[in-house]
Amino acid sequence: MDRRIWRQFDLVLVGIVVLLILYGVIMVFSANQNQEDLRDLWWTQLTRAGLGLGLMVIVAAIDYRYYASLHRFLYVVMLVFLGTLFIAAELTAGTLRWLDFTLFPVQPSELAKIIIIIVTAKLLADRDGEMNKLSNLFFSMMVIVPPLVLIYLQPDLGTTIIAAVIWLIMVLMAGGNLFHIGLLGLGGILASPIVWLTMAEYQRERVLLFMNPDQTDPSYFNIQQALISIGSGGLLGKGFSIGTQNQLHFLRVRHTDFIFSVIGEELGMLGAILLFLLIIGVIWRILRAADLTKDPFGRSICIGVAALIFFQSFVNLGVNLGLLPVTGTPLPFVSYGGSSLFAFLIALGLVQSVLMRHKALDFEEV
Amino acid sequence: MTDAQIQIRSFIFKTLVLFAFIVLFLQLWNLQIVNGESYREQADANRFRLAQVAASRGVIYDRNGKLLVRNRPVYNVVVIPAYLPEDSTAEARVFSRLSELLNLPITTQLEPVTGLNTGYFHAINHHQYSRLPQRQIINPRSRRYINRPEGIRDAVNANRVFAPFLAVTIAEDVDPIIVSKIEEERLDLPGVQIDISPSRDYIYKDLFSHMLGYIGPIPAEQFENYEGLNYDLTDIVGLAGLEYQYEQWLRGIKGLENIEVDVTGQKIRTVSQEVEVRPGHNLRLSIDLGLQQATAEALQEAMDEVNSKQGVSISMNPQTGEILAMVSLPSFDNNLFSRGITARELSLLSEDPQAPLVDHTIAGLYPPGSIFKIIPASGGLQEGTITEQTTFVDEGVLYLPNLFQPDNRDLAQPFYCWLRGGHGPVNVVSALAWSCNVFFYQVGGGYSPAEYEGLGLTKLGKYAQMYGLGQATGIDLPGESEGLVPTERWKRLNYAETWLTGDTYNMSIGQGFVLVTPLQMLNAYASIANGGTRYRPHLVKEILDADGNLVQQIEPEVIGRLDVDPQYIQLVRQGLWGAINWENGTAAKFFDVPGIDASGKTGTAEFCDNYPACLDRDGRVKTSHAWFVTYAPTNNPEIVTIVFVYGGKQGAGVAVQGSEVAVPVASKILRYYFNIPDEEEEGDGQATDETVTEFDLGTKFKARLLGTDSWSRNEANMSGFVLNAAGQGVSDIPVEVLINGEVVAQLISGETGQFDYSRPDLVNDETWQVRLADFPDAPSLMFDAVEGVRYLVEFEAQPPQETAAAVGTN
């Protein structure tokens, strides 16, 4: 392998991501410091971050174009995983999003998001410049519908929506026709009653709850406590590891979905803005990679990863801030959770891989 | 796509990202800056509470500072559903570990998880069928299980959705050893917490039950009485005895403090104290623990000997009114109440014909018999109807002439002396010493053939009241009875009959309509003992604060004086001295307190609970109570003791003389008090201590269907006990079960007298019959068995002499 390509490795991006991860680790520590059974999670997260960064480097080292040739295989593997999960969930009569691998538990839907990015990127690259045709748009949509349905049936509405939005952004960025997308949106609105009817009871409750808050509901309690946490933080926050909502456990799922509320409470608006800037920084560096890359496949991958990080962050922060109904969506790089962290670092590895090779072509030709 | 297009779309995407974050930022601004203050208030409202601090209840000591009641922490295991592991497998692990530790089923929704043969179910069975509270296995967990037959998961899930942070109590009063195990495994049992609440521990159980009483939640119907006194609906208050009487002293003052709590409401720290908590005051009683024990022991022994089921003994200092010992038998374990008594236990106690819940020392109303005679004696002397020299000849019987035909001797009504042969000539001193009825008939009611006018009813009543009869003594205990000193008007109102001289005769010897409580009679004798002053009897000597400082001393309170000349009181005292110290005094034979100069009076009060079964062949009442009152030393007495034994069932037709039964009890009490060792070792063996394990073939039984219970299996179950007359289980007794006339099972009672039988595949309308195979005379039980029901039955042997009224239940 050509060592020179590592010069293109985006250390700034890695640096920002490391800052985000450390930010998360510190807040996980604060969130769980007086709950004995969860006290050591920050360390777990830190070791996983190290592992994940290694994983990122490995992924980056492999030429991303190699994945293009694998896209059919990856697609099938994804469907098999999601299908297995669906059947297993049927058998255990409950939500089952985890498959227990020996190394660590992986949430297939996290990996599914990345595979959807690769597969969609490949399809878009194959039809580069032709995406304004309705047939191409329709074809790429048909390809991602089966995994989305399986994820939706898990049931995991949040991931389904995120994956759909990633696809939408990727298509638009690859030249999708706005009018066609509008038609699609119209179809979506017409189909929404079907979606509503197939939604799981708790999902419907959550949506209804968001629209019409019922103060006696336990889920309302969680949202309300998150808002109180953030709101009571004020400009400067109550101070690290002394947020009352957090330390006295009024805030639930503190170290995962509601980690932002901990930041808002303990570090205040300044801490929140710092987080926003870091996330925007990550997105910017990835979009920079997209802009630098001439290869449509690599570009689409970068756009997909940026869309993933952007939209998932937006959903998580929106839930925390009471702008969106509750979905179990972790905040990229910050929330505790190995599966999500690995998935995002692998995605970052893909971006690095693209970035490292965006000039290599020219060199070889010269 | 051209580069320009790409750049435009890239620019739009970046703008969208920035726009999204600006929206998020604006909401952040809205929450933290615009509404920040409101959210800060909400956050504070979340964590700060104004909480009451329970004041620990005062404890109670005996006169020597020995602890009689203490506070005991009760450990409850609670689960906070929101803190259970989210993973259902991990949650199931928590439940199964808890189930293992607490011996509770995980769920009872489908079928019982545990089998019949486990120790746990065994404990329930035992609990259900043990009729006598003191024989029940004290297994708090099984008690709770009966009250709330649901599994751990059922309890946790009951309100989980609506109140995930509400602590669910799954086991109350858990063994501290198990509590420490749970504490050790805390990390593996997320969501499980230990909650500590105070409870009352009555150290000597039934020895002081009536006196100390018990505590419990405020009865709903009485809440308004407590409302003005700063009580909460959930407060625990004294409900009986001293716990009730001194509630305001014992309860203390609740503190109020600002605390910080976590989401489960558990206190993290105290922020500030608004009202300081003040623990309740402690009581020091005048009771002597040792004397109380000696009294209870001696009394129970005497009662067992004559097969009596009720007895009372009180000792008091006649110079102050301080009660030294106060025993009412049968008793109960008041810890049952402080733990939370089950409905079943309560009904067993309250339906017991011997009324173990009633304090017979102050609420038992009995005819006083001969111990009443001090009243006509002192009344007659004071009113001048008799003098020291007045002598009547007792021929064993006094014929009261018929009111309308005074000359017709056949119509005259005979009034007997207890000594059929008569006492011969008697004066007031010897009449008291010998307890001569004939003398007092005349003193009280006069004797018309001799043209002697006695005291008459009015004056007799006046002196009875002077001695404190017919009115509550005002002892510091709730529930005291007033007794009855009858008047002419009373009889006319209640019986629509005129008062007759015969009624006065009866009253003069403490029979007839007059009714007293043992405490009243004791107090009457105390006033004789101390020379004429009636003090209010009291149990509490001192009220101390939590640091042991004296808050209030209870001083002797005079409630009355005898309007009787001291020389007449002295004559009565001579008679009482004679009863013990003359060779032929009524108590001389059985009174045995060497070295102590004592005086006293015996009494044998005839009564008839069950007319005419209580009459013997001659038509005389054969059932009688035994009384004995004594004070010692005769000059300047320190202690006055009364003993009462409810009519025993000794011998056929021979009334038990009070002296024989009651005097030895008092002797033992005085011997303990004056610290005189027993000279001869009495053969303890022949008492009824030994467990009867076999019956005579002639034994009569009483069979009872105690009740039913739900049985969570597809079968009907019958369980029960074979008990001897003392209420102990008897093993190896064959029990037959017949269904529709056919013998279907032969059971043998187990070690505790227990037998069980279950029958699946029930055909409708089966009639089960249960009988004792070896005792054809014993009644059998019949009932229609239904699936899913457990029938609790019992065969109890009747004491040999009693004409057992066997009651068969449908």
Side-chain angles (χ1 to χ4, degrees):
Chain A
M1 187 171 27
D2 191 348
R3 281 196 184 172
R4 280 170 301 174
I5 64 168
W6 286 99
R7 288 185 206 147
Q8 295 296 323
F9 189 80
D10 191 348
L11 280 176
V12 177
L13 177 58
V14 174
I16 300 173
V17 164
V18 167
L19 282 180
L20 265 179
I21 292 173
L22 289 178
Y23 202 171
V25 167
I26 290 169
M27 295 328 286
V28 167
F29 168 78
S30 172
N32 291 327
Q33 61 173 342
N34 52 15
Q35 193 160 350
E36 278 164 76
D37 50 330
L38 303 177
R39 190 173 276 166
D40 298 329
L41 290 191
W42 66 274
W43 177 250
T44 316
Q45 179 81 343
L46 200 57
T47 51
R48 280 178 182 167
L51 216 67
L53 286 170
L55 209 59
M56 178 187 81
V57 172
I58 293 169
V59 172
I62 299 167
D63 192 333
Y64 69 98
R65 281 160 295 204
Y66 177 60
Y67 301 117
S69 58
L70 276 181
H71 78 280
R72 287 202 177 82
F73 171 72
L74 288 173
Y75 185 75
V76 171
V77 167
M78 169 176 70
L79 286 186
V80 167
F81 263 168
L82 291 174
T84 312
L85 204 60
F86 177 64
I87 293 162
E90 284 292 300
L91 292 178
T92 56
T95 321
L96 186 73
R97 296 184 194 172
W98 300 76
L99 276 188
D100 223 340
F101 285 94
T102 41
L103 194 59
F104 50 82
V106 183
Q107 232 171 320
S109 51
E110 296 287 350
L111 286 177
K113 281 186 271 193
I114 293 170
I115 294 174
I116 285 173
I117 289 173
I118 294 173
V119 170
T120 308
K122 171 69 180 159
L123 293 179
L124 295 178
D126 287 351
R127 290 157 186 78
D128 188 30
E130 295 167 17
M131 280 313 291
N132 52 1
K133 284 186 189 164
L134 188 60
S135 60
N136 284 340
L137 176 73
F138 200 69
F139 177 73
S140 82
M141 190 178 78
M142 280 303 106
V143 169
I144 64 148
V145 161
L148 287 192
V149 168
L150 283 174
I151 294 171
Y152 175 70
L153 288 176
Q154 275 188 15
D156 188 351
L157 185 60
T159 305
T160 314
I161 291 174
I162 288 168
V165 168
I166 293 169
W167 170 81
L168 188 67
I169 291 175
M170 287 174 76
V171 167
L172 278 174
M173 294 297 286
N177 190 320
L178 280 174
F179 177 69
H180 294 161
I181 301 292
L183 279 181
L184 203 66
L186 196 69
I189 291 167
L190 291 177
S192 60
I194 299 168
V195 175
W196 179 255
L197 286 175
T198 54
M199 264 157 85
E201 192 57 40
Y202 83 92
Q203 291 174 329
R204 257 179 278 181
E205 271 171 21
R206 281 177 176 179
V207 174
L208 284 177
L209 185 74
F210 178 72
M211 293 176 183
N212 184 18
D214 167 14
Q215 311 214 342
T216 58
D217 192 279
S219 314
Y220 179 76
F221 179 86
N222 295 348
I223 304 167
Q224 192 59 25
Q225 293 303 331
L227 292 182
I228 292 174
S229 304
I230 296 171
S232 63
L235 186 64
L236 297 172
K238 294 174 185 166
F240 175 69
S241 86
I242 52 174
T244 58
Q245 289 284 104
N246 171 30
Q247 302 301 332
L248 299 174
H249 303 178
F250 288 100
L251 190 59
R252 291 204 69 204
V253 279
R254 298 178 294 283
H255 57 289
T256 56
D257 296 355
F258 283 101
I259 192 86
F260 177 70
S261 299
V262 178
I263 294 175
E265 187 191 18
E266 300 198 335
L267 303 179
M269 186 177 271
L270 291 187
I273 289 174
L274 174 64
L275 180 85
F276 287 1
L277 292 178
L278 288 174
I279 292 172
I280 292 172
V282 170
I283 296 168
W284 240 246
R285 288 307 287 190
I286 297 173
L287 289 178
R288 169 186 164 267
D291 288 343
L292 287 175
T293 309
K294 299 289 175 245
D295 173 25
F297 177 58
R299 199 182 112 79
S300 273
I301 284 181
C302 291
I303 295 287
V305 173
L308 166 67
I309 292 172
F310 159 64
F311 193 66
Q312 182 151 348
S313 302
F314 179 74
V315 168
N316 176 280
L317 297 173
V319 168
N320 271 267
L321 288 163
L323 292 171
L324 297 172
V326 175
T327 54
T329 312
L331 185 59
F333 304 113
V334 183
S335 286
Y336 173 83
S339 189
S340 151
L341 187 62
F342 287 140
F344 281 109
L345 287 172
I346 289 170
L348 224 51
L350 286 176
V351 172
Q352 297 283 16
S353 176
V354 171
L355 191 61
M356 280 155 61
R357 289 168 184 85
H358 80 276
K359 283 184 179 166
L361 262 170
D362 304 335
F363 275 91
E364 276 168 12
E365 280 175 359
V366 168
Chain B
M1 237 179 16
T2 63
D3 278 2
Q5 273 178 321
I6 290 175
Q7 272 171 13
I8 289 171
R9 296 208 171 190
S10 179
F11 177 75
I12 293 173
F13 183 36
K14 286 176 185 170
T15 315
L16 178 76
V17 170
L18 284 183
F19 178 74
F21 274 92
I22 287 170
V23 169
L24 292 174
F25 173 74
L26 287 178
Q27 171 71 353
L28 192 65
W29 181 273
N30 174 38
L31 292 177
Q32 294 192 312
I33 308 297
V34 182
N35 294 314
E37 199 48 48
S38 145
Y39 282 117
R40 264 188 290 280
E41 278 166 20
Q42 289 185 48
D44 283 346
N46 265 344
R47 69 189 173 119
F48 292 128
R49 295 254 188 298
L50 206 55
Q52 280 187 340
V53 187
S56 64
R57 199 173 172 83
V59 297
I60 302 178
Y61 302 99
D62 88 335
R63 66 183 302 126
N64 301 316
K66 293 203 178 90
L67 202 56
L68 305 181
V69 191
R70 64 182 164 206
N71 295 314
R72 174 179 71 101
V74 167
Y75 300 98
N76 302 327
V77 178
V78 300
V79 169
I80 294 164
Y83 280 9
L84 286 168
E86 281 177 35
D87 180 27
S88 58
T89 333
E91 183 188 277
R93 256 202 299 276
V94 172
F95 286 155
S96 81
R97 181 64 186 141
L98 275 183
S99 161
E100 216 174 294
L101 285 169
L102 297 171
N103 248 335
L104 282 169
I106 293 176
T107 178
T108 51
Q109 301 287 339
L110 300 168
E111 53 179 305
V113 179
T114 9
L116 245 188
N117 51 352
T118 67
Y120 169 58
F121 268 86
H122 184 76
I124 297 178
N125 288 343
H126 204 93
H127 174 86
Q128 281 282 9
Y129 310 136
S130 300
R131 210 165 56 84
L132 302 174
Q134 62 267 30
R135 283 201 299 113
Q136 285 166 0
I137 289 182
I138 305 301
N139 182 340
R141 276 169 276 127
S142 72
R143 297 163 54 80
R144 297 307 159 189
Y145 184 80
I146 287 161
N147 285 343
R148 192 176 45 222
E150 57 182 352
I152 298 171
R153 190 197 300 280
D154 311 333
V156 170
N157 284 347
N159 257 329
R160 190 173 196 162
V161 178
F162 303 105
F165 288 102
L166 192 75
V168 180
T169 306
I170 53 168
E172 288 175 12
D173 203 355
V174 176
D175 186 344
I177 294 168
I178 290 167
V179 168
S180 66
K181 270 190 197 156
I182 292 176
E183 290 280 2
E184 272 169 33
E185 296 176 24
R186 201 153 35 123
L187 287 185
D188 300 328
L189 297 171
V192 181
Q193 295 184 353
I194 303 295
D195 174 60
I196 304 173
S197 62
S199 177
R200 217 60 167 152
D201 184 15
Y202 298 99
I203 299 163
Y204 298 96
K205 296 180 181 142
D206 47 4
L207 186 60
F208 290 102
S209 292
H210 298 114
M211 187 193 304
L212 298 179
Y214 45 83
I215 56 167
I218 300 176
E221 68 276 10
Q222 282 173 31
F223 184 65
E224 52 190 43
N225 302 341
Y226 288 90
E227 233 171 352
L229 298 166
N230 202 11
Y231 280 96
D232 291 328
L233 200 56
T234 50
D235 278 350
I236 299 291
V237 297
L239 294 176
L242 292 171
E243 295 269 27
Y244 173 86
Q245 190 80 17
Y246 288 88
E247 166 69 18
Q248 295 309 319
W249 291 102
L250 290 167
R251 64 185 286 221
I253 297 172
K254 280 185 223 161
L256 207 57
E257 60 179 22
N258 239 323
I259 57 165
E260 188 177 25
V261 297
D262 69 6
V263 67
T264 60
Q266 219 148 32
K267 178 174 151 184
I268 304 296
R269 67 190 174 100
T270 305
V271 179
S272 63
Q273 210 159 49
E274 305 291 313
V275 178
E276 207 182 330
V277 62
R278 197 212 72 198
H281 289 307
N282 300 333
L283 304 181
R284 184 197 287 266
L285 305 186
S286 54
I287 292 291
D288 182 323
L289 171 63
L291 191 69
Q292 179 87 2
Q293 280 167 331
T295 303
E297 216 169 281
L299 184 62
Q300 186 64 59
E301 213 172 283
M303 284 162 58
D304 288 348
E305 254 170 61
V306 297
N307 214 343
S308 162
K309 299 231 158 118
Q310 247 181 63
V312 166
S313 175
I314 318 169
S315 295
M316 184 168 90
N317 180 343
Q319 312 292 351
T320 58
E322 282 178 8
I323 304 281
L324 302 172
M326 194 165 182
V327 174
S328 168
L329 295 175
S331 189
F332 62 99
D333 183 356
N334 41 359
N335 289 307
L336 287 175
F337 286 88
S338 67
R339 267 205 309 267
I341 192 164
T342 62
R344 175 162 177 71
E345 286 165 338
L346 185 60
S347 68
L348 283 175
L349 278 173
S350 53
E351 283 165 19
D352 189 319
Q354 299 307 323
L357 290 177
V358 173
D359 186 352
H360 297 293
T361 56
I362 57 167
L365 288 175
Y366 310 105
S370 300
I371 59 170
F372 185 80
K373 287 173 183 165
I374 55 165
I375 288 158
S378 47
L381 287 165
Q382 180 70 17
E383 296 292 327
T385 57
I386 51 167
T387 64
E388 193 182 348
Q389 282 77 34
T390 308
T391 305
F392 298 108
V393 178
D394 169 21
E395 291 165 342
V397 63
L398 184 70
Y399 288 95
L400 178 65
N402 188 289
L403 200 57
F404 306 104
Q405 290 170 279
D407 298 331
N408 187 345
R409 260 196 94 100
D410 293 341
L411 286 178
Q413 191 183 356
F415 283 85
Y416 297 98
C417 187
W418 64 270
L419 192 68
R420 291 295 173 94
H423 289 102
V426 283
N427 67 1
V428 65
V429 175
S430 53
L432 282 170
W434 296 331
S435 198
C436 172
N437 291 355
V438 169
F439 181 87
F440 287 106
Y441 290 144
Q442 298 178 61
V443 172
Y447 188 54
S448 48
E451 294 191 353
Y452 172 71
E453 216 174 297
L455 267 174
L457 171 68
T458 318
K459 283 184 178 155
L460 198 57
K462 175 185 144 193
Y463 281 91
Q465 298 209 331
M466 188 186 290
Y467 275 96
L469 306 188
Q471 55 202 291
T473 62
I475 188 175
D476 45 356
L477 280 179
E480 197 182 358
S481 296
E482 293 192 340
L484 174 66
V485 176
T487 60
E488 283 187 42
R489 188 180 147 71
W490 175 86
K491 192 181 177 192
R492 205 171 297 121
L493 287 178
N494 287 278
Y495 285 79
E497 281 174 18
T498 322
W499 188 271
L500 302 171
T501 310
D503 294 328
T504 316
Y505 274 19
N506 279 334
M507 183 170 160
S508 303
I509 61 158
Q511 297 283 165
F513 300 115
V514 63
L515 288 175
V516 299
T517 68
L519 184 66
Q520 282 173 339
M521 280 323 292
L522 176 80
N523 213 23
Y525 273 79
S527 59
I528 289 282
N530 65 29
T533 311
R534 268 196 308 123
Y535 292 100
R536 184 184 304 286
H538 63 92
L539 288 160
V540 175
K541 206 172 151 63
E542 288 167 357
I543 297 170
L544 309 164
D545 70 12
D547 301 324
N549 303 315
L550 188 66
V551 176
Q552 189 176 334
Q553 177 116 32
I554 311 295
E555 300 294 343
E557 184 191 346
V558 176
I559 52 170
R561 282 182 203 284
L562 301 184
D563 187 14
V564 180
D565 194 290
Q567 61 172 359
Y568 298 143
I569 293 182
Q570 195 49 43
L571 283 178
V572 173
R573 290 167 61 95
Q574 274 178 30
L576 301 182
W577 187 84
I580 287 180
N581 295 290
W582 293 1
E583 217 167 277
N584 51 0
T586 49
K589 212 162 89 190
F590 302 101
F591 193 82
D592 179 25
V593 188
I596 299 296
D597 180 33
S599 305
K601 181 80 195 77
T602 59
T604 307
E606 293 170 346
F607 72 103
C608 190
D609 277 350
N610 186 14
Y611 188 85
C614 59
L615 300 180
D616 65 9
R617 256 165 291 166
D618 304 337
R620 290 185 58 175
V621 180
K622 63 180 178 183
T623 44
S624 62
H625 304 312
W627 286 97
F628 183 59
V629 203
T630 175
Y631 54 86
T634 300
N635 299 309
N636 201 16
E638 296 168 22
I639 181 170
V640 51
T641 297
I642 192 164
V643 176
F644 167 80
V645 177
Y646 194 90
K649 293 153 187 165
Q650 191 171 40
V654 179
V656 184
Q657 286 300 318
S659 51
E660 203 179 327
V661 181
V663 175
V665 178
S667 300
K668 283 179 192 161
I669 294 169
L670 291 185
R671 272 212 299 274
Y672 178 88
Y673 182 83
F674 291 107
N675 207 6
I676 298 162
D678 295 354
E679 291 137 67
E680 73 261 67
E681 280 297 310
E682 288 166 53
D684 283 335
Q686 94 271 33
T688 52
D689 283 9
E690 59 194 278
T691 317
V692 183
T693 49
E694 282 175 22
F695 295 123
D696 291 337
L697 275 182
T699 310
K700 296 214 162 44
F701 282 90
K702 197 167 168 179
R704 297 211 294 161
L705 181 63
L706 292 176
T708 57
D709 200 2
S710 66
W711 186 246
S712 50
R713 295 174 168 212
N714 298 332
E715 55 189 33
N717 177 279
M718 183 273 303
S719 300
F721 277 94
V722 181
L723 305 173
N724 64 19
Q728 293 152 322
V730 183
S731 59
D732 302 323
I733 302 298
V735 180
E736 279 182 348
V737 183
L738 292 81
I739 293 184
N740 298 339
E742 261 178 284
V743 177
V744 294
Q746 285 268 10
L747 315 168
I748 306 286
S749 69
E751 226 169 291
T752 54
Q754 188 181 346
F755 55 88
D756 290 277
Y757 175 65
S758 288
R759 184 170 159 87
D761 309 324
L762 228 59
V763 185
N764 277 347
D765 298 329
E766 278 186 2
T767 303
W768 290 19
Q769 188 180 1
V770 189
R771 68 182 186 203
L772 298 179
D774 288 358
F775 300 90
D777 292 345
S780 65
L781 281 170
M782 304 259 277
F783 52 86
D784 293 330
V786 177
E787 192 174 281
V789 177
R790 172 158 57 172
Y791 299 86
L792 315 174
V793 302
E794 180 187 86
F795 290 95
E796 187 185 21
Q798 298 301 295
Q801 280 81 16
E802 199 183 49
T803 45
V807 182
T809 324
N810 60 324

